[in-house]
């Protein structure tokens, strides 16, 4: 497989698995307004997935590939999303903290990809940035509400942050494919993104009265296709129809 | 005093008869207010509970295109719930009170949502039949006398007719597909046909609200008239799809220019209305769970808002 194809899978899988997690909440939000907002974010992410995978199908070199075969018909080890996005919807604090950590990374990533030499990736980034700015505004405003709301919400937000923070490094640490894409002027420089990410996160935590964990131990593996135990269940859900009824039009 | 109220009532009825729109701050009989709170909130609850059977298939949708469309559809229903709760709130009741009525079983919602969605074809059948039946009711409501309700309906109807076409298109794709897909579509029609007919409510002879509702233009046609209209529209569509409506008595009547149809099992209808449908308990439990588990979130938002106000006062 060529590196561009793999890079597109990494980009698309993050949006797809997070979009999937958010879609599981549709109809179960704490109130109608947040229900609608979270579904909106899920819809935006799925829109991005379609752009990435339609492009990936083209560059894959296999004429049988489509956005759906890429989305639904890979083995678990072939999904390349970061570990953060597959973490479960434990409670609203987990949903928001997971979103906030991802959004900060995602916005810096897209800002960098806007100047990608690959015009298709640059165009997807430009379109997605508008959406992700809103996502980040939404998630960071909720981190503040939860962190600086009641004692209970503060505790829950702090617990979610402590649990999820070690998963976020997986997105930020460059692997060989990302290094190659950066060299070619197609991909983003994660070293720069990581610095900006850490500064923005620190500021957000201060205003939200939350404490970043001292321990910087990083879970890793998602981008190499080594996932948490949650992933298999996500895929059984996601792939159910395509696996049970192969080769049909829907 | 009694004469005064009678006079107000007469003026009120004359306004409705003239086709005027009644607005929240206008004088209205108490019964009109209560009936509207009941009906609008029942409608809002139906939208919100209706998110659950379709939400059931979002994570398993068979393609990215279908997933995005279904997600957007269920989100539209949340939006409809929001307009309708707001319309009900103009009559002097809070959203919290309305939720409480839903959660305690005091308020009803459309019984159709107490049936399970057990295959992907149900996403087609629900759109085609359930939204199709809903539109027939709702088009009538765009001209209802209460302004906020009528206006909410105009917007909702546009989106519902889009959903209905989307549902029909899912069915069409299935019936043009493999044998397994055709069977899936037929099985789904078999299960959703009769409950869809029940959506129009009990037969006119047993309907308690029809007469007053006609007078207030909440209704312009009776349950049986609307049901007939639905069957007349839907039967040819089923034929176009190559599906068989599960009613051996269904046939075109050249004399009446309508379809004749078989007897509806009203025992089943009342059983579901009274809480003993296949999913009544799951639906309410899901709503109560979301609400209860969201309590600390809503509290946090309020506390944070208050802190911000305090801070701005100090500054």
């Amino acid at each position: 497989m060529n590196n561009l194809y793999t890079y597109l899978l990494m980009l698309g899988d993050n949006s797809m698995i997070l979009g999937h997690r958010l879609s599981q909440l549709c109809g179960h939000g704490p109130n109608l307004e947040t229900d609608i907002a979270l579904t909106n974010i899920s819809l935006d992410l799925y829109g991005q997935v379609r752009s990435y995978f339609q492009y990936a199908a083209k560059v894959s070199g296999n004429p049988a590939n489509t956005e759906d075969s890429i989305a639904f018909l890979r083995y678990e080890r072939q999904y390349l999303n970061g570990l953060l996005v597959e973490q479960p919807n434990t409670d609203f604090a987990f949903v928001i903290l997971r979103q906030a950590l991802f959004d900060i990374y995602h916005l810096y990533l897209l800002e960098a990809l806007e100047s990608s030499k690959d015009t298709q990736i640059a165009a997807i980034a430009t379109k997605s940035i508008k959406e992700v700015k809103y996502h980040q505004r939404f998630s960071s405003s909720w981190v503040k509400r939860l962190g600086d709301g009641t004692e209970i919400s503060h505790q829950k937000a702090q617990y979610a942050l402590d649990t999820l923070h070690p998963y976020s490094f997986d997105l930020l640490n460059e692997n060989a494919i990302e290094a190659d894409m950066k060299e070619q002027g197609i991909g983003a420089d994660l070293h720069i993104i990581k610095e900006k990410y850490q500064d923005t996160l620190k500021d957000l935590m201060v205003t939200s009265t939350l404490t970043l964990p001292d321990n910087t131990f990083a879970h890793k593996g998602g981008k190499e296709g080594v996932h948490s135990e949650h992933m298999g269940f996500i895929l059984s859900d996601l792939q159910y129809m395509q696996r049970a009824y192969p080769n049909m039009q829907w | 005093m009694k004469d005064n109220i009678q006079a107000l009532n007469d003026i009120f009825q004359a306004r409705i008869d003239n086709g005027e729109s009644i607005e929240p701050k206008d004088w209205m009989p108490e019964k009109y207010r209560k009936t509207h709170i009941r009906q609008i909130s029942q409608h809002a609850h139906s939208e919100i509970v209706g998110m659950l059977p379709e939400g059931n298939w979002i994570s398993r949708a068979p393609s990215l295109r279908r997933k995005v469309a279904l997600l957007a559809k269920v989100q539209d229903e949340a939006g409809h719930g929001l307009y309708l709760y707001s319309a009900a709130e103009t009559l002097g009741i809070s959203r919290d009170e309305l939720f409480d009525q839903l959660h305690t079983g005091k308020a009803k919602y459309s019984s159709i949502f107490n049936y399970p969605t057990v295959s992907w074809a149900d996403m087609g059948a629900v759109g085609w039949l359930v939204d199709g039946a809903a539109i027939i009711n709702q088009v009538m409501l765009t001209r209802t006398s209460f302004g906020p309700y009528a206006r909410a309906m105009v917007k909702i109807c546009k989106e519902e007719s889009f959903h209905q076409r989307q549902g029909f298109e899912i069915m069409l794709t299935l019936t043009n597909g493999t044998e397994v897909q055709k069977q899936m579509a037929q099985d789904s029609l078999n299960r959703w046909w009769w409950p869809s007919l029940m959506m129009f409510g009990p037969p006119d002879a047993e309907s308690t609200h029809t007469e007053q509702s006609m007078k207030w233009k909440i209704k312009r046609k009776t349950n049986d008239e609307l049901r007939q209209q639905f069957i007349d529209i839907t039967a040819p569509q089923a034929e176009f799809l190559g599906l068989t409506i599960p009613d051996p008595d269904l046939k075109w009547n050249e004399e009446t220019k309508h379809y004749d149809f078989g007897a509806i099992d009203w025992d089943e209808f009342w059983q579901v209305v009274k809480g003993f449908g296949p999913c009544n308990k799951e639906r309410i439990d899901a709503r109560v769970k979301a609400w209860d588990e969201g309590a600390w979130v809503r509290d946090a938002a309020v506390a944070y808002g208050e802190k911000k106000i305090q801070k701005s006062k100090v500054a």
Side-chain angles (χ1 to χ4, degrees), chain A:
Chain A
M1 278 301 154
N2 62 63
N3 284 353
L4 174 60
Y5 176 73
T6 310
Y7 191 62
L8 288 167
L9 293 188
M10 288 161 67
L11 294 171
D13 285 346
N14 278 330
S15 292
M16 181 167 71
I17 302 303
L18 185 57
H20 176 86
R21 277 297 187 212
L22 294 172
S23 78
Q24 292 175 313
L25 295 164
C26 184
H28 305 278
N31 61 25
L32 274 176
E33 287 80 355
T34 45
D35 206 308
I36 290 172
L38 291 172
T39 305
N40 229 10
I41 296 175
S42 177
L43 276 168
D44 288 343
L45 291 171
Y46 268 112
Q48 297 164 15
V49 173
R50 296 191 67 187
S51 304
Y52 287 129
F53 287 175
Q54 283 165 12
Y55 184 38
K58 270 190 206 157
V59 304
S60 70
N62 177 355
N65 271 342
T66 64
E67 57 169 358
D68 287 332
S69 73
I70 293 173
F72 299 108
L73 294 174
R74 280 176 286 151
Y75 298 120
E76 179 173 331
R77 290 288 268 103
Q78 297 170 318
Y79 284 84
L80 304 177
N81 55 284
L83 295 171
L84 177 71
V85 294
E86 67 200 50
Q87 298 309 305
N89 300 323
T90 307
D91 64 15
F92 191 72
F94 274 76
V95 171
I96 289 301
L97 265 300
R98 182 185 62 204
Q99 193 65 39
L101 295 175
F102 182 74
D103 289 343
I104 296 172
Y105 154 81
H106 199 192
L107 189 55
Y108 287 134
L109 175 77
L110 293 173
E111 280 173 2
L113 291 179
E114 261 197 304
S115 44
S116 170
K117 274 188 189 160
D118 184 304
T119 53
Q120 192 66 31
I121 289 183
I124 299 171
T126 302
K127 182 182 166 287
S128 308
I129 257 178
K130 290 180 205 129
E131 300 163 350
V132 174
K133 274 187 183 154
Y134 161 77
H135 303 174
Q136 201 199 355
R137 223 174 29 242
F138 173 84
S139 61
S140 59
S141 74
W142 269 104
V143 171
K144 289 176 203 162
R145 281 188 199 104
L146 298 184
D148 195 17
T150 63
E151 212 178 310
I152 293 175
S153 71
H154 178 84
Q155 281 169 10
K156 284 179 184 278
Q158 185 63 53
Y159 179 64
L161 174 66
D162 293 345
T163 310
L164 294 171
H165 188 247
Y167 290 104
S168 59
F169 297 101
D170 191 35
L171 295 167
L172 297 158
N173 293 334
E174 183 180 274
N175 72 6
I177 304 282
E178 288 165 321
D180 177 50
M181 286 292 105
K182 179 186 68 184
E183 295 303 318
Q184 292 193 41
I186 295 173
D189 185 340
L190 281 181
H191 298 96
I192 300 173
I193 291 176
K194 194 173 180 179
E195 255 175 56
K196 289 184 181 173
Y197 171 92
Q198 283 170 335
D199 288 345
T200 304
L201 184 62
K202 217 175 278 168
D203 289 348
L204 177 62
M205 291 307 125
V206 171
T207 47
S208 308
T209 72
L210 294 170
T211 314
L212 271 177
D214 288 335
N215 189 351
T216 52
F217 174 72
H219 295 301
K220 57 185 180 207
K223 288 194 292 201
E224 317 305 327
V226 181
H227 294 279
S228 60
E229 290 182 349
H230 305 297
M231 192 66 180
F233 293 96
I234 292 177
L235 294 181
S236 346
D237 228 10
L238 196 71
Q239 299 186 337
Y240 166 68
M241 288 296 291
Q242 289 278 342
R243 295 289 186 202
Y245 303 94
N247 305 317
M248 296 182 201
Q249 297 302 310
W250 301 97

Side-chain angles (χ1 to χ4, degrees), chain B:
Chain B
M1 183 67 186
K2 212 175 171 187
D3 287 349
N4 281 346
I5 289 182
Q6 188 52 50
L8 284 167
N9 261 322
D10 290 345
I11 296 167
F12 179 80
Q13 190 58 49
R15 289 187 61 197
I16 290 184
D17 295 343
N18 278 336
E20 284 178 47
S21 165
I22 306 299
E23 295 302 324
K25 286 183 177 162
D26 295 350
W27 184 89
M28 62 184 77
E30 201 43 34
K31 201 174 162 209
Y32 181 90
R33 181 187 302 278
K34 284 197 172 136
T35 301
H36 273 83
I37 289 176
R38 182 178 57 80
Q39 183 168 334
I40 299 171
S41 66
Q42 195 167 312
H43 194 161
H45 298 326
S46 301
E47 297 282 357
I48 299 311
V49 177
M51 293 171 75
L52 300 170
E54 289 180 286
N56 183 34
W57 278 88
I58 292 170
S59 66
R60 288 175 292 171
S63 70
L64 290 174
R65 182 173 81 91
R66 292 293 184 201
K67 191 189 287 282
V68 168
L70 182 60
L71 199 48
K73 181 190 176 194
V74 180
Q75 187 194 34
D76 281 348
E77 284 157 11
H80 298 171
L82 209 51
Y83 314 140
L84 289 163
Y85 284 124
S86 304
E89 281 173 309
T90 65
L91 290 164
I93 187 161
S94 71
R95 221 204 284 181
D96 282 6
E97 282 174 90
L98 294 170
F99 279 151
D100 191 58
Q101 291 178 355
L102 173 67
H103 297 161
T104 55
K106 193 180 160 208
K108 299 275 180 237
Y109 55 88
S110 182
S111 268
I112 193 86
F113 301 119
N114 292 314
Y115 288 86
T117 52
V118 298
S119 78
W120 170 252
D122 289 3
M123 297 305 98
V126 167
W128 173 37
L129 301 173
V130 176
D131 292 330
I135 291 166
I136 288 182
N137 261 318
Q138 288 167 0
V139 165
M140 177 179 74
L141 288 168
T142 59
R143 292 179 299 145
T144 188
S145 58
F146 186 54
Y149 194 26
R151 288 189 290 273
M153 275 307 135
V154 172
K155 188 164 166 48
I156 289 174
C157 271
K158 281 185 196 153
E159 293 181 350
E160 290 290 0
S161 67
F162 178 72
H163 297 163
Q164 199 259 349
R165 280 202 300 278
Q166 195 170 287
F168 184 78
E169 204 255 320
I170 289 177
M171 293 306 263
L172 189 60
T173 307
L174 294 175
T175 53
N176 284 332
T178 62
E179 203 45 46
V180 171
Q181 287 172 304
K182 284 177 195 159
Q183 281 168 14
M184 195 190 282
Q186 181 63 55
D187 171 65
S188 185
L189 171 60
N190 293 350
R191 284 179 290 106
W192 289 94
W193 175 252
W194 293 106
S196 300
L197 297 190
M198 294 176 198
M199 281 178 73
F200 297 96
D204 294 348
E206 290 167 36
S207 179
T208 46
H209 301 301
T210 297
E211 197 186 334
Q212 180 65 71
S213 295
M214 295 280 238
K215 224 170 136 194
W216 283 335
K217 296 189 179 168
I218 305 173
K219 277 199 144 182
R220 286 165 186 265
K221 288 180 182 169
T222 70
N223 294 353
D224 286 335
E225 284 169 338
L226 292 166
R227 191 168 8 250
Q228 185 69 57
Q229 191 184 333
F230 174 73
I231 293 170
D232 290 347
I233 292 171
T234 312
Q237 294 175 347
E239 199 178 71
F240 178 82
L241 290 170
L243 296 174
T244 310
I245 287 176
D247 177 358
D249 298 326
L250 186 95
K251 58 173 182 294
W252 178 251
N253 183 326
E254 199 46 56
E255 228 163 88
T256 61
K257 299 287 180 202
H258 290 295
Y259 280 86
D260 292 334
F261 56 97
I264 294 171
D265 180 359
W266 291 109
D267 284 346
E268 177 181 319
F269 173 77
W270 289 114
Q271 182 178 323
V272 181
V273 169
K274 285 175 183 162
F276 301 100
C279 298
N280 294 57
K281 193 171 180 315
E282 285 89 334
R283 300 294 185 236
I284 290 301
D285 285 354
R287 287 313 313 160
V288 170
K289 185 168 180 279
W291 187 245
D292 288 352
E293 286 179 356
W296 69 268
V297 178
R298 298 188 300 273
D299 290 348
V302 171
Y304 179 77
E306 282 168 0
K307 279 186 196 173
K308 266 194 115 171
I309 293 168
Q310 285 304 323
K311 275 182 200 158
S312 70
K313 274 185 189 162
V314 173

